Amino acid sequence: MKNYILKYFPFYGLAIFFLCNIIAMYFYAGGSIFNPESTGYDFFRNYLSQLGRIRGINGENNLISFRIWSSGMATTGLIFIIYYILLPSFFEMKKIAIIGSFISVISCICFIFTGITPGDVVLNLSHLSNINFSINTIYVYELHKFFANNIFYFGLLSA
């Protein structure tokens, strides 16, 4: 089973990632930072993260694209977590392999959280009056940006 995972899981992960992105692009509501009124997804004018918005840049409902893209990101991240947990058994230098895999797992966790944090949601916590919060508003975009950046930072470290 371990050999099967190490041999085929990267292909499954990439296939799911590309397939979910292509389907989410098809269902994307529309709009880009260059032309908010446009319809559909333009590969050269939209960011991949815009597929994971609740509403398109043009303001239309984007839930179908959001669900497909988020599911693809989460599934891909989980597949690669399993892969990286088993990968050190393939190498003779276990300590270096374990460190690299640990860093890769962190990158995969960031991949999952990038997919499940839509960039256009604002959480208002002011209604929680019985709990004394110093933060009343959370901009999910900041979390999304944090996780998206850390995919690459930890991915570079693991490489």
Side-chain angles (χ1 to χ4, degrees):
M1 183 66 169
K2 180 176 63 173
N3 288 335
Y4 177 83
I5 289 172
L6 290 174
K7 187 173 183 180
Y8 293 108
F9 266 38
F11 297 111
Y12 296 153
L14 289 173
I16 289 169
F17 177 76
F18 285 120
L19 186 63
C20 286
N21 274 291
I22 290 168
I23 295 169
M25 286 175 193
Y26 177 78
F27 287 107
Y28 180 67
S32 71
I33 60 172
F34 303 105
N35 183 4
E37 304 302 319
S38 65
T39 57
Y41 186 86
D42 183 344
F43 187 78
F44 297 103
R45 301 211 189 283
N46 289 97
Y47 295 108
L48 281 178
S49 289
Q50 290 173 346
L51 297 171
R53 293 172 54 98
I54 302 294
R55 297 211 164 272
I57 301 289
N58 63 4
E60 294 181 23
N61 185 345
N62 194 46
L63 278 176
I64 295 172
S65 176
F66 164 72
R67 288 178 179 147
I68 293 167
W69 189 76
S70 296
S71 299
M73 293 287 285
T75 304
T76 302
L78 287 172
I79 286 172
F80 277 100
I81 285 174
I82 294 167
Y83 172 79
Y84 283 119
I85 287 172
L86 293 177
L87 188 61
S89 66
F90 183 75
F91 294 100
E92 291 178 15
M93 298 177 68
K94 297 284 186 212
K95 289 182 183 178
I96 293 173
I98 290 170
I99 292 169
S101 286
F102 177 76
I103 294 169
S104 295
V105 167
I106 294 171
S107 180
C108 292
I109 291 168
C110 290
F111 200 83
I112 293 169
F113 277 106
T114 298
I116 62 174
T117 53
D120 61 339
V121 172
V122 177
L123 299 175
N124 185 353
L125 304 175
S126 62
H127 67 282
L128 300 173
S129 59
N130 58 349
I131 301 173
N132 190 7
F133 276 118
S134 60
I135 299 173
N136 290 329
T137 306
I138 297 174
Y139 294 92
V140 179
Y141 172 72
E142 294 300 322
L143 292 171
H144 176 84
K145 190 168 65 170
F146 170 80
F147 291 123
N149 287 334
N150 279 298
I151 292 169
F152 300 102
Y153 299 150
F154 285 105
L156 178 65
L157 276 176
S158 69

